[in-house]
């Protein structure tokens, strides 16, 4: 029986049972007849092989698609559309070959991050401005639990990138609205690099600009939940943060183990397996934020996007360098990341980030690029002048933690615990988050029952008890 007598459906099944993309390509190159079957059915084949051979493939695919949607919108000078989360999945529409290639670039990025997590010699900054614990202090999984560790790590990293792409709209909205409102002075102000400097010549972060930003929910991170503004913000979060949060909930429900026949009361929060899985995912996402944000340096001679320029830390060899397009959570801008082909080169270097070249105009200007970390820093400085965001020793959670505040409150009736950020050099955050405890012990958390009267974690008095500012 010759190859031509075998139906395309049989060849498609053979393709789908390949163990890897390498095997798939090798089979596709066998002859022109098999290659034609591959070309006619590539999306289905790519999906079936990739979902079984690439760790957390659908999460990575959603990152690629959400980032591409955002980039196309910003290139056109508009905000990204609101895309239903399920439409980003390969289960909704099968991936193309080009999408697979970009998924492999994103996967290489997370492999670099994983290597740096365990081996980096660079003292990166944590989300509170201190130093992330050295890599040699990371908590190691037991040998028989390494796959579970990798699944948690990769899933969390991909989802943090997905959150960056999906939620960028909420953080860039003021600047697109300012363009529509003709507020040129407001927009020009945010070209400054010293937004958080209270001593600059125009008095730091102008009150009128802060007032304008606070018309947008995510920039009211220091407001009491039970105030009128806090209640308005929470309602608006249903539209801004809700789609991503509800997707997290739905996915956690799908992956949660079945309820125990004889449940125990060992769970301090006393909710079922669905709630436990969601809390685990949220804590992994939180710890991923700490360990992803500090792995990049700017490919410019300026400090921006919450990062230092590359002259501070030399870049690795650009030979065989790979590039990937992402939107980092907390930066909320489309950037191109340069990575070494050999991940071991990241031991002594950071990855370089720069504004995506497609956002550069012919005269070199940038369109639709805003320094969100500097904006947040300016608002936090303005808040400290009003005693809203805590002291240097007793810090409030970073402004970008609004995603966790909202999701914990809405779905689990939880908030961050009193001592999660207590004197940051000695608190739970620095040690347990720095060690990556949750990736090894997924029951770890820093939450307690939700309290509507809290906006900061500032201390008052000498008894060590947390008071509201």
């Amino acid at each position: 029986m010759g190859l031509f007598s075998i139906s395309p459906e049989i060849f498609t099944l053979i393709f789908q049972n390949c163990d890897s993309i390498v095997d798939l390509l090798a089979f596709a190159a066998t002859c022109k007849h098999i290659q034609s079957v591959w070309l006619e059915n590539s999306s289905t084949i790519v999906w079936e092989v990739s979902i079984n051979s690439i760790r957390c493939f659908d999460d990575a695919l959603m990152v690629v698609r959400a980032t591409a949607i955002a980039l196309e919108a910003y290139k056109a000078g508009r905000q990204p559309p609101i895309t239903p989360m399920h439409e980003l999945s390969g289960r909704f529409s099968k991936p193309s070959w080009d999408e697979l290639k970009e998924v492999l670039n994103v996967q290489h990025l997370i492999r670099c991050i994983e290597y740096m997590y365990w081996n980096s010699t660079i003292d990166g900054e944590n989300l509170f401005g201190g130093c992330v614990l050295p890599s040699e202090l990371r908590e190691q999984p037991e040998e028989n639990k390494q796959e579970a560790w990798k699944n948690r790590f990769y899933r969390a990293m991909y989802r943090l990138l997905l959150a960056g792409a999906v939620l960028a709209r909420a953080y860039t909205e003021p600047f697109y609205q300012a363009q529509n409102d003709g507020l040129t002075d407001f927009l020009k102000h945010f070209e400054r690099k010293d937004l958080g400097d209270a001593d600059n010549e125009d008095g730091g972060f102008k009150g009128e600009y802060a007032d304008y930003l606070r018309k947008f929910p995510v920039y009211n991170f220091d407001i009491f939940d039970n105030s009128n503004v806090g209640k308005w913000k929470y309602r608006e979060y249903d539209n801004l943060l809700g789609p991503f949060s509800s997707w997290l909930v739905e996915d956690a429900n799908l992956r949660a183990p079945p309820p125990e026949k004889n449940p125990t009361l060992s769970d301090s929060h006393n909710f079922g397996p669905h709630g436990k899985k969601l809390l685990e995912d949220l804590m992994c996402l939180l710890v991923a934020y700490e360990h992803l944000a500090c792995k990049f340096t700017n490919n410019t001679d300026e400090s921006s996007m919450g990062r230092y320029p590359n002259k501070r830390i030399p870049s690795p060899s650009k030979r065989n360098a790979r590039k990937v397009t992402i939107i980092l959570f907390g930066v909320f801008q489309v950037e191109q990341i340069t990575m070494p082909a050999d991940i071991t080169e990241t031991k002594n270097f950071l990855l370089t980030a720069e504004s995506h070249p497609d956002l550069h105009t012919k005269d070199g200007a940038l369109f639709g690029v805003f320094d969100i970390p500097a904006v947040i820093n300016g608002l936090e400085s303005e808040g400290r002048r009003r005693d809203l965001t805590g002291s240097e020793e007793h810090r409030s959670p970073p402004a970008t933690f609004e995603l966790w505040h909202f999701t914990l409150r809405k779905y689990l009736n939880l908030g961050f615990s009193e001592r999660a950020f207590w004197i940051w050099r000695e608190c739970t955050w620095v040690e347990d988050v720095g060690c990556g405890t949750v990736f090894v012990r997924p029951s770890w958390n820093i939450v307690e029952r939700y309290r509507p009267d809290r906006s900061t974690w500032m201390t008052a008095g000498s008894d060590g008890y947390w008071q509201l500012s």
Side-chain angles (χ1 to χ4, degrees), residues 265-270 445 449:
L265 296 179
S266 59
D267 174 20
S268 60
H269 303 297
N270 197 25
N445 63 71
R449 287 299 174 191

Side-chain angles (χ1 to χ4, degrees), residues 13-83:
L13 288 174
I14 296 173
F15 271 117
Q16 292 175 359
N17 281 277
C18 289
D19 292 330
S20 67
I21 299 299
V22 173
D23 291 344
L24 184 158
L25 293 177
F27 184 54
T30 303
C31 69
K32 290 183 178 180
H33 180 58
I34 294 179
Q35 187 177 48
S36 68
V37 175
W38 153 247
L39 294 174
E40 291 174 5
N41 301 277
S42 60
S43 290
T44 299
I45 295 170
V46 164
W47 170 253
E48 293 295 338
V49 175
S50 298
I51 198 69
N52 293 309
S53 63
I54 297 177
R55 192 185 305 276
C56 304
F57 174 75
D58 201 32
D59 291 288
L61 177 63
M62 294 177 75
V63 171
V64 168
R65 288 177 168 175
T67 304
I69 290 171
L71 177 58
E72 288 305 308
Y74 291 137
K75 284 164 56 178
R78 62 176 185 272
Q79 282 275 68
I82 299 175
T83 304

